[in-house]
């Protein structure tokens, strides 16, 4: 293990501020679930006082990768990066195979089938929206792995093309398969740098991951946008209207915040929709608990966090809960179904916005969509 990892761990002052934001700690309430407890174990491993064991591996694995502790840390420690290096250093041969490309494809296919069986897709809007216009810049969609199976019909009120990108790399990076992660980063970097226009994301985790790429031209990051940025421009000249009165709330994905998209951006869009009442969650950015495939490894903890989120949703009285992450959407649908809630539904916010009617603020009906 390199000296940098040990120095990064030592930077942790053991202040415990991460306890206020760590979703796992809020459920487990044990020192081993807290970051400082994990770091003490890792220091023992690095210094030779402890050996790599199933228990130590399990302790590190008990992490959602939500990055809340990193944003809270006054010492600037990056726990996810440390865990990824530890996993990379201690993977055995079988784990390398299981965390490779072949089994990842099998996992995605299995998740897709399981999701479709449990939550058959019932789109808000069938067919094409009649108002699809040309955006001033080219829009290229970065479609994430899970988005393809959970949100397969991502559309905007503007003409957008599918980009020829690969997985953002986070599923491999989080498992310690840094070789595959680097391969995917290099591929996507070349594609993005050779692309003209804006690269539009509809998965918060993908955007958060790709914004960490080290592009040859730092200005390239300015072309990586979330679809909320597009709708913010739309609102300048056009208004969105719900066909029926509706009350909605919004669950803030952990990685949407780490990607630099504030909740206020989402709220500005929703509060600007006519015939819609937006009700803010009491804890909008509390983790839903699904964290990629965390729910497959620790279903008990994921279930508790998802149910707490639904408690907040039901307390608002909203009939629709929106989100902007495929696993968050899964968590919300799962929790609503497990509670047998009939009068509230979960939708991807992009799908919801596309279902709304769009009219020009200009009285000239022939005015095209210019933003």
């Amino acid at each position: 293990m390199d000296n940098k990892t040990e120095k990064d761990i030592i930077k942790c002052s053991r202040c415990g501020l991460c306890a206020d934001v760590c979703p796992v700690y809020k459920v487990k309430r044990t020192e081993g679930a807290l970051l400082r407890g994990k770091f003490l174990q890792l220091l023992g491993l690095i210094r030779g006082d402890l050996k790599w064991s199933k228990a130590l591996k399990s302790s590190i694995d008990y992490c959602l990768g939500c990055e809340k502790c990193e944003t809270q840390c006054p010492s600037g420690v990056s726990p996810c990066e440390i865990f990824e290096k530890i996993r990379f250093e201690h993977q055995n041969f079988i784990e390398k195979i299981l965390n490779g490309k072949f089994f990842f494809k099998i996992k995605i296919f299995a998740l897709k089938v399981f999701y479709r069986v449990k939550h058959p897709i019932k789109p808000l809007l069938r067919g094409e929206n009649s108002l699809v216009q040309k955006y001033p810049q080219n829009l290229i969609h970065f479609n994430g792995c899970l988005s393809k199976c959970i949100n397969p019909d991502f559309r905007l009120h503007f003409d957008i093309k599918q980009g020829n990108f690969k997985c953002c790399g986070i599923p491999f990076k989080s498992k310690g398969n840094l070789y595959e992660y680097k391969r995917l980063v290099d591929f996507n970097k070349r594609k993005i740098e050779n692309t003209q226009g804006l690269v539009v994301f509809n998965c918060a985790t993908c955007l958060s991951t790709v914004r960490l790429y080290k592009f040859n031209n730092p200005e390239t990051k300015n072309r990586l946008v979330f679809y909320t940025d597009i709708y913010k421009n739309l609102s300048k000249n056009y208004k969105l209207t719900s066909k029926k009165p509706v009350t909605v709330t919004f669950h803030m994905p952990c990685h949407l915040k780490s990607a630099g998209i504030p909740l206020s951006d989402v709220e500005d869009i929703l509060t600007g929709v006519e015939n819609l009442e937006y009700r803010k969650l009491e804890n909008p950015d509390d983790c839903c608990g699904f964290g990629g495939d965390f729910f497959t490894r620790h279903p008990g903890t994921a279930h508790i966090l998802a149910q707490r989120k639904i408690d907040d949703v039901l307390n608002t009285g909203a009939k629709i809960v929106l989100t902007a992450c495929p696993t968050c959407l899964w968590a919300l649908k799962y929790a609503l179904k497990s509670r047998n809630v009939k009068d509230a539904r979960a939708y991807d916010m992009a799908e919801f916005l596309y279902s709304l009617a769009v009219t020009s603020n200009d009285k000239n009906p022939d005015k095209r969509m210019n933003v």
Side-chain angles (χ1 to χ4, degrees):
M1 183 60 61
D2 59 358
N3 292 330
K4 183 179 182 303
T5 303
E6 183 176 1
K7 290 179 181 178
D8 287 344
I9 293 175
I10 293 174
K11 283 167 59 178
C12 173
S13 63
R14 316 290 188 265
C15 65
L17 287 176
C18 51
D20 294 333
V21 295
C22 177
V24 172
Y25 178 75
K26 289 180 180 180
V27 174
K28 304 299 290 184
R29 293 294 179 182
T30 62
E31 193 68 18
L34 198 57
L35 196 56
R36 64 187 178 195
K38 299 179 192 293
F39 278 173
L40 285 173
Q41 295 177 77
L42 292 182
L43 278 178
L45 175 70
I46 293 171
R47 294 170 177 175
D49 298 325
L50 292 176
K51 291 184 178 180
W52 183 250
S53 63
K54 186 176 180 180
L56 185 50
K57 176 187 172 184
S58 177
S59 176
I60 296 173
D61 185 66
Y62 227 113
C63 171
L64 279 155
C66 64
E67 300 179 344
K68 290 182 181 297
C69 53
E70 183 173 345
T71 59
Q72 185 85 343
C73 181
S75 302
V77 179
S78 179
C80 290
E81 183 178 332
I82 292 171
F83 295 159
E84 289 152 9
K85 288 181 180 179
I86 295 291
R87 293 185 183 108
F88 174 74
E89 291 287 338
H90 293 88
Q91 279 191 16
N92 58 40
F93 178 73
I94 294 177
E95 288 172 332
K96 289 179 180 179
I97 294 176
L98 293 177
N99 295 328
K101 292 187 296 181
F102 177 72
F103 277 94
F104 176 71
K105 290 181 179 179
I106 293 177
K107 185 187 296 184
I108 288 294
F109 177 77
L111 288 173
K112 178 178 180 179
V113 172
F114 182 79
Y115 179 82
R116 295 289 175 85
V117 170
K118 290 288 187 179
H119 309 286
I121 294 178
K122 297 178 181 178
L124 282 164
L125 186 68
R126 298 183 184 277
E128 294 296 327
N129 194 303
S130 59
L131 186 57
V132 177
Q133 301 291 337
K134 185 74 176 176
Y135 198 74
Q137 296 169 275
N138 290 329
L139 301 180
I140 302 92
H141 181 210
F142 190 108
N143 202 3
C145 303
L146 276 178
S147 291
K148 290 177 182 177
C149 61
I150 295 179
N151 304 324
D153 297 321
F154 172 72
R155 293 171 289 181
L156 293 174
H157 288 93
F158 298 99
D159 184 25
I160 184 168
K161 298 178 180 178
Q162 288 297 327
N164 184 26
F165 304 110
K166 293 187 177 180
C167 171
C168 68
I170 190 63
F172 300 97
K173 184 172 182 278
S174 62
K175 298 292 185 183
N177 188 344
L178 302 184
Y179 291 129
E180 181 62 19
Y181 169 70
K182 184 180 184 304
R183 187 186 72 82
L184 292 168
V185 169
D186 291 342
F187 178 89
N188 288 330
K189 276 173 57 179
R190 288 195 300 270
K191 287 291 182 180
I192 292 172
E193 288 173 335
N194 292 326
T195 295
Q196 299 298 318
L198 303 178
V199 181
V200 183
F201 292 76
N202 67 313
C203 172
T205 304
C206 288
L207 176 60
S208 177
T209 302
V210 176
R211 279 191 169 173
L212 292 177
Y213 290 2
K214 295 180 180 179
F215 292 99
N216 296 324
N217 181 2
E219 296 298 317
T220 301
K221 289 187 179 181
N222 296 332
R223 296 193 291 111
L224 308 177
V225 301
F226 205 60
Y227 65 85
T228 50
D229 295 311
I230 307 300
Y231 276 102
K232 279 168 61 181
N233 285 332
L234 170 68
S235 65
K236 295 176 183 177
N237 298 316
Y238 287 78
K239 62 182 179 182
L240 298 170
T241 303
S242 175
K243 298 174 184 178
K244 297 179 181 179
V246 62
T247 55
V248 305
T249 188
F250 181 79
H251 161 62
M252 181 74 171
C254 299
H255 287 104
L256 194 60
K257 184 176 181 179
S258 61
I261 307 297
L263 177 61
S264 59
D265 279 8
V266 174
E267 293 179 324
D268 288 346
I269 294 169
L270 293 177
T271 54
V273 176
E274 291 191 351
N275 221 14
L276 178 148
E277 180 186 353
Y278 167 70
R279 298 178 182 177
K280 187 173 182 178
L281 286 172
E282 183 177 352
N283 304 292
D285 56 357
D286 272 8
C287 185
C288 67
F290 269 42
D293 64 352
F294 179 89
F295 71 98
T296 64
R297 308 190 311 273
H298 307 286
T301 300
H303 174 80
I304 292 172
L305 291 170
Q307 293 300 328
R308 289 177 180 176
K309 176 59 64 175
I310 293 304
D311 286 340
D312 281 352
V313 170
L314 296 179
N315 286 338
T316 67
K319 300 303 179 183
I320 291 179
V321 53
L322 303 172
T323 192
C325 169
T327 49
C328 289
L329 179 60
W330 192 338
L332 294 169
K333 287 190 173 185
Y334 154 79
L336 287 169
K337 193 169 185 177
S338 66
R339 293 272 285 273
N340 198 30
V341 177
K342 301 294 186 182
D343 59 347
R345 287 196 170 188
Y347 289 106
D348 175 62
M349 189 173 75
E351 179 189 7
F352 175 78
L353 292 176
Y354 188 78
S355 73
L356 301 175
V358 182
T359 54
S360 172
N361 291 329
D362 194 293
K363 294 182 179 180
N364 180 5
D366 295 326
K367 179 182 176 183
R368 288 177 60 82
M369 193 175 286
N370 296 312
V371 294

